[in-house]
Amino acid sequence: MTDHYDVVVVGGGHAGCEAASAAARAGAKTALVTLRFETIGVMSCNPAIGGLGKGHLVREIDAMDGLMGRVADAAGIQFRLLNRRKGPAVRGPRTQADRKLYRLAMQAAISEQAGLDVVEGEVLDFEIANERLAAVLLADGRRLGCGAV
């Protein structure tokens, strides 16, 4: 771990994992700040990936080599295409995932991503210098210098 990153992503939910992974794949030295590593990939409510609206988003993420589709494939226990009898515009792929398998697969994918550090901590504030973001300040006193958050 370093004290300066090109990109710092705050939060290890679906969007945070995708953003941090994408930044690291693009070559940016990236930090993913989360309260606890164990909560990365936790599916807090419905363990479904996809559906009528979210299915389009998952396809777009997958087309850009994102994590959600690969992790859902690894953790899927049921795969369905919703609205098969209707037109293609309203069909939506959906995967029901095993919560534990999904969490473990996402944590493994994040851990294996080159150029990505996971930082456990709570973001308290941002440091601004010359009207630009200069750092993320954590509650425990650590400072993560960065170019973007």
Side-chain angles (χ1 to χ4, degrees):
M1 193 171 81
T2 183
D3 63 349
H4 186 82
Y5 294 92
D6 300 316
V7 176
V8 173
V9 177
V10 179
H14 288 307
C17 288
E18 292 294 350
S21 178
R25 286 193 314 272
K29 180 67 179 155
T30 306
L32 173 61
V33 180
T34 183
L35 291 174
R36 292 190 349 254
F37 178 80
E38 296 81 34
T39 62
I40 289 175
V42 168
M43 300 179 94
S44 59
C45 53
N46 183 356
I49 301 292
L52 299 181
K54 194 174 176 185
H56 293 286
L57 178 63
V58 174
R59 284 186 194 170
E60 290 176 2
I61 291 169
D62 196 43
M64 295 184 288
D65 196 29
L67 298 177
M68 189 181 291
R70 284 183 281 161
V71 171
D73 285 345
I77 54 177
Q78 181 190 58
F79 301 87
R80 296 195 57 187
L81 182 63
L82 304 176
N83 291 334
R84 275 181 194 261
R85 295 185 178 153
K86 296 183 180 181
V90 293
R91 292 181 189 144
R94 183 188 70 200
T95 301
Q96 291 296 121
D98 179 284
R99 290 174 194 266
K100 182 178 179 183
L101 291 177
Y102 187 90
R103 176 177 49 85
L104 295 175
M106 184 60 81
Q107 290 171 3
I110 291 294
S111 294
E112 294 165 3
Q113 179 61 58
L116 175 58
D117 291 337
V118 176
V119 178
E120 289 187 319
E122 179 183 1
V123 173
L124 182 66
D125 204 354
F126 301 108
E127 181 181 306
I128 308 294
N130 299 321
E131 297 183 13
R132 291 187 53 110
L133 183 69
V136 172
L137 306 175
L138 303 183
D140 63 6
R142 288 180 288 171
R143 178 187 181 276
L144 304 176
C146 58
V149 176

